[in-house]
Amino acid sequence: MTRHVFDDTTLECGDDFVLTTIVAQRAKKGDFAPNLVLTRGPLRDEETLETYVARQLVELAKSLKSFKLHGRTEVELAGRPARRIACGWQGTQGHVEQRMTMVAIDGRVLTFTVTVPKAKADELFPLFDGILATVAIGAIAG
């Protein structure tokens, strides 16, 4: 059994469980709340950040209505090499734009996903870019 610690909560899971942590932040107003979601999950055996990103793209294309990839670029996050996917799709409340910035550390991938209404993307992405510029990454416990 492995004990996992999340701020003020802990739990134990068997070693055959995969730990995925999700942290979500959203704007306080509007019909569709622009949001930033952080997920943390393991790389598969022999998987690299590049193959992880490719696998995520396949899953997105399969699961999102009218998915369109706008681009895939190498970026830096917290001084580390990262990959960014820019895409759009049809959500339940209209067209959305999304950016996912992924960084590998200690056999895991941190994915920062920003989702905004398409009509406000030019206004909101710079605000979220400012938030991502504050990211600091240390060793991941658990």
Side-chain angles (χ1 to χ4, degrees):
M1 298 287 274
T2 302
R3 175 158 294 280
H4 301 283
V5 179
F6 312 95
D7 294 328
D8 61 354
T9 307
T10 67
L11 59 90
E12 287 186 14
C13 296
D15 294 334
D16 56 338
F17 277 75
V18 175
L19 175 66
T20 301
T21 306
I22 300 174
V23 177
Q25 299 290 322
R26 68 187 259 314
K28 292 182 180 180
K29 59 183 179 178
D31 293 333
F32 173 81
N35 59 80
L36 168 63
V37 175
L38 165 60
T39 56
R40 181 179 83 164
L43 285 169
R44 292 179 178 173
D45 290 341
E46 306 301 318
E47 190 169 43
T48 66
L49 181 59
E50 283 300 322
T51 57
Y52 180 89
V53 170
R55 182 165 55 88
Q56 297 308 305
L57 282 171
V58 169
E59 292 301 316
L60 291 168
K62 282 196 241 181
S63 63
L64 298 175
K65 183 178 179 182
S66 302
F67 176 79
K68 181 176 180 185
L69 177 64
H70 301 314
R72 180 175 161 175
T73 57
E74 293 183 15
V75 295
E76 189 174 284
L77 184 69
R80 298 172 182 270
R83 301 297 178 274
R84 178 172 285 166
I85 296 170
C87 62
W89 47 280
Q90 177 65 39
T92 57
Q93 297 178 322
H95 289 283
V96 297
E97 292 296 309
Q98 202 166 57
R99 287 187 186 166
M100 287 172 257
T101 305
M102 302 173 201
V103 60
I105 178 172
D106 296 338
R108 294 188 171 98
V109 176
L110 300 178
T111 302
F112 296 83
T113 303
V114 174
T115 307
V116 302
K118 184 175 183 172
K120 296 195 173 222
D122 289 341
E123 171 190 345
L124 294 173
F125 275 140
L127 297 173
F128 283 104
D129 288 344
I131 293 169
L132 290 177
T134 69
V135 170
I137 299 172
I140 299 173

